[in-house]
């Protein structure tokens, strides 16, 4: 069970990094240094951006849950 939870944590961590990097820069941050501030959006957030937000939040919940599960498993096994 610990190995499966660890695999879920690693995969969700990698996916979280990819999803966060896919977001558009909102300006004023590091994204401006890499050309993120060049394009401006005239409208609100698109459907793709909203779905990306939802997916990022979902992966974040899975990531957080896997950390809690690993913590509980290590505590119950006496490894911590």
């Amino acid at each position: 069970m610990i190995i499966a939870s660890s695999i879920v944590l690693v995969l969700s961590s990698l996916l979280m990094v990819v999803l966060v990097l896919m977001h558009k820069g909102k300006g004023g941050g590091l994204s401006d240094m890499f050309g993120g501030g060049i394009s401006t959006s005239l409208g609100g957030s698109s459907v793709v951006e909203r779905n990306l937000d939802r997916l990022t939040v979902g992966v974040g919940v899975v990531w957080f849950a896997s950390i809690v599960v690993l913590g509980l498993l290590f505590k119950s096994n006496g490894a911590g």
Side-chain angles (χ1 to χ4, degrees):
M1 186 71 177
I2 292 177
I3 293 174
S5 298
S6 297
I7 290 172
V8 169
L9 178 62
V10 168
L11 291 177
S12 63
S13 297
L14 293 174
L15 187 58
M16 181 68 83
V17 169
V18 171
L19 289 173
V20 167
L21 289 175
M22 287 176 61
H23 281 278
K24 278 194 294 190
K26 304 294 187 221
L30 287 176
S31 63
D32 286 342
M33 288 176 40
F34 301 110
I38 294 173
S39 63
T40 59
S41 62
L42 297 176
S45 60
S46 66
V47 173
V48 174
E49 186 73 20
R50 280 182 281 165
N51 288 335
L52 184 61
D53 290 342
R54 291 179 186 138
L55 186 60
T56 305
V57 169
V59 171
V61 168
V62 170
W63 179 79
F64 180 76
S66 65
I67 290 175
V68 171
V69 167
L70 274 172
L72 293 174
L73 287 174
F74 275 116
K75 186 175 182 178
S76 66
N77 285 339

